[in-house]
Amino acid sequence: MTRDARFEDGSEGPLALRAETAEDLSVIAALVQDAVLPTSEIAWDAKARRLACLLNRFRWEDKDAAEAEGRPFERVQSLLVISDVASVQSMGVDRKDRELVLSVLDLSFEETSEGAGRLILTVAGDGAIAASVECLSVDLRDVTRPYRAVSGKAPHHPD
């Protein structure tokens, strides 16, 4: 993980990651797990060949430190940008319903030919948004300061 800046008060700056391999994507996938994503915050720019999603994600990278220090768990607004997108398909997701809020389960890549494939954002309720891409190029960048998670709890996944 890399940090591209520090805030004016000297605190750690926003997270900024780029995935160009399946291994890189696994890091981003872990960080966006349990993010919430309103359908109103999904935008595909066909001319720029870019799919952008503004997510509210749990700060998994800070969970252990917050737990050890007795600090509240945090969330942050992050921009997920998928580049070189040829087409986007929604499966089980009504993107026209602007009130719908999706819960992100996974982000994966299915290679269809050398470097090209489909990036699949899987959401709760058996839904997915698939982007057909010419190459794997995904950016995740925090766009706000972290803030206290409303529930005060970390997401939990029963075994």
Side-chain angles (χ1 to χ4, degrees), residues 54-57 75-79 141-144 147:
L54 183 62
L55 341 137
N56 176 326
R57 71 175 187 84
R75 286 195 163 267
V76 66
Q77 291 280 310
S78 299
L79 185 61
R141 178 179 300 270
D142 291 348
V143 294
T144 65
Y147 53 90

Side-chain angles (χ1 to χ4, degrees), residues 58 73-75 149-156:
F58 179 78
F73 294 115
E74 295 176 329
R75 286 195 163 267
V150 174
S151 71
K153 299 177 183 177
H156 177 69

Side-chain angles (χ1 to χ4, degrees), residues 12 20 22 25-26 29 60 70 73-74 86 95 112 114 122 128 130 146-147:
E12 197 170 75
E20 294 177 341
L25 187 65
S26 68
W60 287 109
F73 294 115
E74 295 176 329
R95 288 189 35 218
T112 57
E114 191 173 323
T122 306
Y147 53 90

